[in-house]
Every structure is written in structure tokens, then in C-alpha cells.
């Protein structure tokens, strides 16, 4: 298990998401606000109970609109049991990983160190799927047979996909992400229908048709790792990699 959660904790704070002192005023970074806006749009599309944003052009551009976005998300089925400070912490983790080279290297090293010569399957959830993908791309001649990503934000253009390392290469009018292994690597990506973090459900247009893509129904636990891991498609992908 590659653990890197402590790298995102503010100094002097207990290692518990419930203790993070974040408020709406802490969502100031442009990338954090853009990601929050994307979550809001996706939640409104997936959940009739979420008040949709009124003006997309000015979405979460002010502290008041940030508060409105977080309030709308807290009333959604997806974020119903997630504290506001935890939502803000998630935004900051993604921003820190994608924009701070030191954090990125520390996090990716933690994961790369767990991938040994006998590692055959890598399973990664949420932001961990971005880390695992980049770690595998950086490891030459690794023996991983199967990459299983679940609840992944890898397909979010501009915010995540276009910031990947290595950078996606031009392929005609499109960009194509690097393949994280050799020809024999099987990559399976699973996204729940209501998972707003996994905004782009089908990653094949961005990483190649050889990628296996599946859409699940995780009910109200759309982004929960356990719901993904207990699905038959996920179990089969792991079993195939170990066979």
C-alpha cells in the first residue's frame, strides 16, 4: 500500500481529515476553483436535487460563489456525508500534487517504492490513480501486468489530463496520453455513473483503444473505494492480472 496522505497535512495538525481547519475562504487558487466548478456541474447533471450553477462563465469566481458551490455539493447524494473541510482538503490535495513539483516527487516516490520486481497488479483510486499512472510511466521495464484505476479523474481535460507527466503527445487534432507499460499491460478503468470525481467515464479516446473501460452503479456511494473494489468487474480485472 503506497501511503502519502501525511504529505498533504498542514504542519502541526492531527492526521485526520475531520481536524483540518479549512473553510470556504481557503478556496482561493484558480485550479481549486476550476475543479470545484467541474464538480458542481457534474453533481447537478447527475443529481436532480442539486441546484445547478446559474452562470457558468462566473462560476466560483468569488468567495460567495465558492460558498454556494460547496453548499450545493453538500446537499447532493454524492457529498452528503462529506464535511465541507474535507471537500476543501480534497481540492487542495489535487492542486498541490499537480502544481508543486516537490510534493509531486515525494508522493510519486512513495508509490513507486511499493512497486517491486514481483508486482503484477496495481490498483489505484481517485487521485491515487493519477499518481500510480505517472509512477508506472516513469518506471522503466516494470513487470506490472495489470493497472486497475477506479474513480479516476485522469480524463479531466485542462485540469488533470493536460498536466500529466509525461505530457500527452499530439495525435492529429487530439492529444494522447502515454501508455503506462509495455504491450502486455492491461489497463482497466472503472467509473461509477454518479461519481463526479471520475468526470470522464471513458478514457479510451485519451489513452488508446486498448484501454478497457467500464461504468458501474455504486448507488449513493459513487466514489467510495470499497464500492469499486467489491464490484465483480474490478475483481475480475485483478484476478486476470494475477492469473
Amino acid at each position: 500500500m503506497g501511503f502519502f496522505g501525511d504529505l498533504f497535512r498542514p504542519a502541526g495538525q492531527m492526521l485526520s481529515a475531520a481536524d483540518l481547519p479549512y473553510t470556504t475562504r481557503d478556496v482561493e487558487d484558480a485550479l481549486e476553483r476550476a475543479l470545484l466548478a467541474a464538480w458542481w456541474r457534474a453533481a447537478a447533471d447527475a443529481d436532480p436535487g442539486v441546484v445547478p450553477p446559474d452562470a457558468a462563465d462566473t462560476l466560483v469566481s468569488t468567495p460567495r460563489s465558492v460558498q454556494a458551490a460547496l453548499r450545493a455539493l453538500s446537499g447532493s447524494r454524492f457529498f452528503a456525508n462529506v464535511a465541507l473541510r474535507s471537500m476543501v482538503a480534497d481540492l487542495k490535495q489535487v492542486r498541490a500534487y499537480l502544481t508543486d513539483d516537490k510534493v509531486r516527487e515525494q508522493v510519486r516516490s512513495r508509490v513507486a517504492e511499493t512497486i517491486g520486481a514481483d508486482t503484477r497488479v496495481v490498483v489505484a483510486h481517485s487521485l491515487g490513480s493519477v499518481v500510480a499512472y505517472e509512477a508506472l510511466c516513469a518506471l522503466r521495464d516494470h513487470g506490472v501486468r495489470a493497472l486497475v484505476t477506479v474513480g479516476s479523474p485522469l480524463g479531466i481535460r485542462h485540469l488533470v489530463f493536460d498536466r500529466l507527466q509525461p505530457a500527452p503527445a499530439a495525435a492529429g487534432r487530439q492529444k494522447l496520453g502515454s501508455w503506462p507499460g509495455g504491450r502486455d499491460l492491461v489497463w482497466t478503468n472503472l467509473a461509477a455513473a454518479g461519481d463526479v470525481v471520475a468526470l470522464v467515464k471513458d478514457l479510451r479516446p485519451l489513452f488508446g483503444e486498448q484501454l478497457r473501460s467500464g461504468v458501474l452503479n455504486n448507488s449513493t456511494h459513487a466514489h467510495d473505494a470499497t464500492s469499486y473494489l467489491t464490484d465483480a468487474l474490478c475483481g475480475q480485472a485483478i484476478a486476470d492480472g494475477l492469473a
Side-chain angles (χ1 to χ4, degrees):
M1 178 78 70
F3 178 72
F4 47 80
D6 58 300
L7 297 175
F8 294 107
R9 305 293 181 184
Q13 297 295 324
M14 296 296 290
L15 300 185
S16 168
D19 294 328
L20 294 173
Y22 293 132
T23 70
T24 57
R25 293 188 296 273
D26 293 303
V27 185
E28 298 178 339
D29 182 83
L31 177 58
E32 294 171 8
R33 291 190 174 191
L35 184 56
L36 178 60
W39 283 358
W40 190 1
R41 291 190 189 97
D45 289 341
D47 186 348
V50 176
V51 177
D54 293 324
D57 292 339
T58 58
L59 194 62
V60 298
S61 60
T62 66
R64 180 175 294 181
S65 57
V66 167
Q67 188 175 32
L70 290 169
R71 185 169 59 247
L73 287 172
S74 67
S76 70
R77 291 195 301 265
F78 182 85
F79 285 106
N81 298 317
V82 179
L84 180 149
R85 68 186 74 182
S86 296
M87 280 192 240
V88 177
D90 289 343
L91 291 170
K92 290 191 171 299
Q93 286 186 17
V94 175
R95 189 265 306 160
Y97 181 79
L98 293 174
T99 63
D100 188 320
D101 290 339
K102 181 178 180 180
V103 169
R104 194 177 206 148
E105 179 58 31
Q106 288 178 319
V107 171
R108 200 161 63 190
S109 294
R110 292 276 184 93
V111 172
E113 288 169 1
T114 68
I115 301 174
D118 60 344
T119 303
R120 293 294 174 263
V121 180
V122 172
V123 183
H125 172 251
S126 196
L127 176 60
S129 67
V130 180
V131 181
Y133 166 81
E134 291 192 342
L136 288 175
C137 285
L139 287 173
R140 295 183 178 180
D141 301 322
H142 63 72
V144 175
R145 297 172 181 165
L147 170 62
V148 184
T149 51
V150 297
S152 175
L154 275 165
I156 305 178
R157 296 296 306 268
H158 307 300
L159 302 181
V160 179
F161 177 75
D162 294 286
R163 296 172 182 267
L164 291 174
Q165 296 179 358
R173 296 182 179 180
Q174 304 292 331
K175 287 185 177 180
L176 194 66
S178 298
W179 190 251
R183 294 181 179 180
D184 295 333
L185 175 82
V186 178
W187 180 1
T188 303
N189 182 70
L190 303 176
D195 189 344
V196 305
V197 173
L199 281 174
V200 179
K201 312 302 180 187
D202 188 355
L203 298 184
R204 289 176 296 176
L206 298 175
F207 294 97
E209 290 299 320
Q210 67 269 45
L211 187 150
R212 302 198 307 177
S213 184
V215 178
L216 313 179
N217 182 3
N218 288 350
S219 188
T220 57
H221 304 286
H223 191 59
D224 182 68
T226 302
S227 297
Y228 277 112
L229 294 174
T230 54
D231 189 272
L233 288 179
C234 185
Q236 189 61 57
I238 295 171
D240 289 346
L242 295 174

